[in-house]
Amino acid sequence: MNLKKIFLFVCLIVCLSGAVICASDVGEADFDSDFNESHFQCCSFAIQEKDETVFAFRQDAEFGDDGVLIHNDNLNNQEIIVQEIDAPDSHFIHAMITEDGWIASHGGDSSNDTETRDIENIACEMLASKNISSDSLSKIQKIFNKYGYGHFFIKAPDGKYGVIYNETVLVGKLNTGEFLVIPNEYYGFRGGNYTDYATDPVDAIVKICSYEDSGTNRRNLYSYDYKLQDTDNGKKYGVNIYVTNDNGHNVGLNTSEFVNYFYFNNDFYPPSVIPENPDKLYVGDYIFENQSIFSVIKNQIFQK
């Protein structure tokens, strides 16, 4: 490549940096194995259904002795489910799911508590206001610019989403039946139709994860099926929770020994109880009990 071509290539990269890309039609794209490095910690997955979202988060940390805490919390008088690292010396939230079906997730550098809490606070502002703000996305991208890799994902119940990498911001909308794969590097971002993998969306997200090849220290996949459920107090939204040992076999790896423990609402689950991909452990469900009749109304709207 001559100097002129090199100069033009560099200019193109500079122009693309920090741009907002509309990605409402995300096509299939294979991950470039040249970028498959060990620091690609964690990957988010999402499937859109009419009245249902299936979300999953895989932990790929190189030093992964710390397990995960899954518990309920409160955000602006809303119930939320939180997945975070069980590490007394650091603070890192992987994902939050609200009672009305909003989702936010974050993968990347967990070494700076201040920056991870800043990202968390900005995410909480968007979840509370129910608005994927371009200003908020830009603030998170500036934080990512400091350490060069990682991902942030936020999705509304109707499929609208924002994805942040250090080099770009993407906004779009998932239609019913579509999925997204959001690893820590933009090169691996892709989407498609989940029924190409399985008819059941939870089985599909486990299988999609098994063929996503950005992680080299593949550990637990935590899957959350958010949907309307029958309870003793009527119809309410909740999440069914599943955990899988992502063994790496479908991408030519053997990482089954990396499986970690986790807690769900203070109950301890050792690595030995977590089955390997494609099997999954049904952990239980969490019903958002404080929901009003809006839950049923929302369901009827989604069905139209």
Side-chain angles (χ1 to χ4, degrees):
M1 181 181 290
N2 60 36
L3 290 176
K4 182 177 180 181
K5 289 183 178 179
I6 292 174
F7 175 78
L8 291 173
F9 178 77
V10 171
C11 290
L12 176 61
I13 295 300
V14 170
C15 290
L16 289 175
S17 178
V20 175
I21 298 176
C22 292
S24 55
D25 297 315
V26 180
E28 292 281 2
D30 292 330
F31 191 91
D32 188 338
S33 60
D34 290 342
F35 296 98
N36 193 0
E37 299 178 11
S38 62
H39 70 254
F40 289 7
Q41 301 164 20
C42 305
C43 187
S44 293
F45 305 84
I47 285 175
Q48 181 69 33
E49 287 282 68
K50 284 184 180 179
D51 61 342
E52 181 178 357
T53 294
V54 181
F55 169 79
F57 190 95
R58 189 184 68 222
Q59 188 179 8
D60 297 336
E62 184 174 3
F63 302 104
D65 293 336
D66 296 322
V68 158
L69 302 175
I70 303 170
H71 60 93
N72 64 302
D73 210 323
N74 185 278
L75 172 66
N76 266 29
N77 297 317
Q78 273 198 104
E79 287 183 278
I80 63 172
I81 287 289
V82 176
Q83 177 185 315
E84 61 181 303
I85 293 178
D86 179 27
D89 57 344
S90 66
H91 177 84
F92 197 94
I93 288 180
H94 289 151
M96 296 180 282
I97 304 171
T98 72
E99 65 180 44
D100 55 354
W102 281 77
I103 294 167
S105 65
H106 170 212
D109 191 340
S110 60
S111 63
N112 189 313
D113 276 4
T114 299
E115 291 178 349
T116 58
R117 289 178 188 273
D118 286 345
I119 291 172
E120 175 189 333
N121 290 335
I122 298 168
C124 285
E125 289 173 2
M126 286 191 283
L127 294 176
S129 66
K130 307 185 195 314
N131 178 34
I132 302 175
S133 157
S134 58
D135 181 59
S136 296
L137 297 179
S138 295
K139 288 179 181 177
I140 294 176
Q141 188 190 23
K142 287 180 181 178
I143 298 172
F144 276 3
N145 288 156
K146 296 179 181 179
Y147 49 81
Y149 79 103
H151 78 270
F152 176 83
F153 172 61
I154 185 168
K155 190 185 81 65
D158 65 357
K160 293 177 183 176
Y161 67 83
V163 174
I164 300 172
Y165 292 102
N166 69 294
E167 63 264 73
T168 192
V169 175
L170 304 102
V171 293
K173 183 175 181 179
L174 277 176
N175 297 312
T176 298
E178 293 182 337
F179 72 85
L180 284 181
V181 173
I182 310 112
N184 270 0
E185 293 282 352
Y186 173 50
Y187 308 102
F189 177 79
R190 67 185 183 93
N193 295 309
Y194 83 80
T195 53
D196 292 341
Y197 293 83
T199 56
D200 177 83
V202 178
D203 290 339
I205 212 164
V206 172
K207 193 169 184 181
I208 290 167
C209 168
S210 76
Y211 284 101
E212 192 286 321
D213 63 354
S214 71
T216 57
N217 300 281
R218 308 160 76 91
R219 300 180 184 277
N220 302 16
L221 176 75
Y222 300 90
S223 301
Y224 303 86
D225 188 2
Y226 173 90
K227 60 185 177 181
L228 195 66
Q229 306 193 36
D230 292 316
T231 75
D232 293 339
N233 296 317
K235 290 184 177 294
K236 292 181 180 290
Y237 275 89
V239 288
N240 295 338
I241 301 169
Y242 305 85
V243 180
T244 299
N245 174 359
D246 183 52
N247 51 34
H249 289 174
N250 283 342
V251 291
L253 299 173
N254 184 358
T255 63
S256 57
E257 74 276 12
F258 292 163
V259 62
N260 289 120
Y261 70 88
F262 71 95
Y263 288 90
F264 172 54
N265 281 347
N266 297 319
D267 292 329
F268 177 73
Y269 293 82
S272 59
V273 304
I274 304 173
E276 293 188 30
N277 189 305
D279 295 328
K280 58 187 183 295
L281 171 69
Y282 172 63
V283 179
D285 54 38
Y286 184 84
I287 304 298
F288 296 111
E289 292 290 353
N290 295 332
Q291 295 173 90
S292 66
I293 191 64
F294 172 71
S295 295
V296 179
I297 297 173
K298 182 175 67 171
N299 183 55
Q300 292 172 348
I301 293 172
F302 281 155
Q303 292 290 349
K304 290 181 180 179

